[in-house]
């Protein structure tokens, strides 16, 4: 199950974000809502604003928010629960 682990780095350095080119990534926005999601490919995202919980199917809920750099693995099925409107930069691998 560890190959479907969500990885999160809280408040990565501006230098790291610059190296990754986060500012050039597309932006995704979503209002508070709850929905199921399956990642067909790995996604790395940087949270600009908002708060949300992601619960992998059969797993423990994980909370994320502004300043988090998150990698969701391909094949992960989960439920998103957005409690404060989210804006994120994302990069699909």
């Amino acid at each position: 199950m560890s190959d479907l682990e969500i990885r999160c780095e809280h408040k990565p350095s501006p230098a790291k974000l610059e190296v990754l080119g986060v500012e050039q990534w597309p932006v995704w926005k979503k209002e508070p809502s709850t929905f199921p999601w399956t990642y067909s490919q790995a996604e790395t995202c940087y949270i600009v604003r908002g708060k949300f919980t992601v619960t992998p199917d059969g797993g423990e809920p994980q909370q994320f928010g502004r300043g988090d750099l998150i990698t969701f693995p391909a094949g992960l099925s989960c439920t998103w629960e957005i409690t404060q409107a989210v804006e994120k930069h994302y990069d699909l691998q």
Side-chain angles (χ1 to χ4, degrees):
M1 195 71 161
S2 60
D3 56 333
L4 291 182
E5 186 180 348
I6 300 170
R7 294 193 307 275
C8 179
E9 183 178 341
H10 296 288
K11 306 214 181 325
S13 70
K16 177 169 186 171
L17 296 176
E18 193 171 325
V19 167
L20 290 171
V22 167
E23 289 293 321
Q24 281 73 52
W25 294 355
V27 172
W28 182 84
K29 297 180 181 181
K30 184 84 171 154
E31 66 286 344
S33 54
T34 301
F35 56 93
W37 189 255
T38 299
Y39 288 87
S40 56
Q41 54 195 127
E43 176 187 317
T44 299
C45 60
Y46 179 71
I47 310 307
V48 179
R49 62 176 55 95
K51 282 188 180 170
F52 59 98
T53 301
V54 175
T55 306
D57 290 2
E60 292 297 313
Q62 297 180 50
Q63 295 186 318
F64 303 104
R66 187 168 70 89
D68 285 345
L69 182 67
I70 312 163
T71 300
F72 296 102
L76 174 72
S77 290
C78 58
T79 299
W80 273 64
E81 183 182 353
I82 298 174
T83 51
Q84 289 180 13
V86 167
E87 180 178 333
K88 68 176 185 175
H89 289 282
Y90 69 94
D91 182 46
L92 302 174
Q93 284 94 49

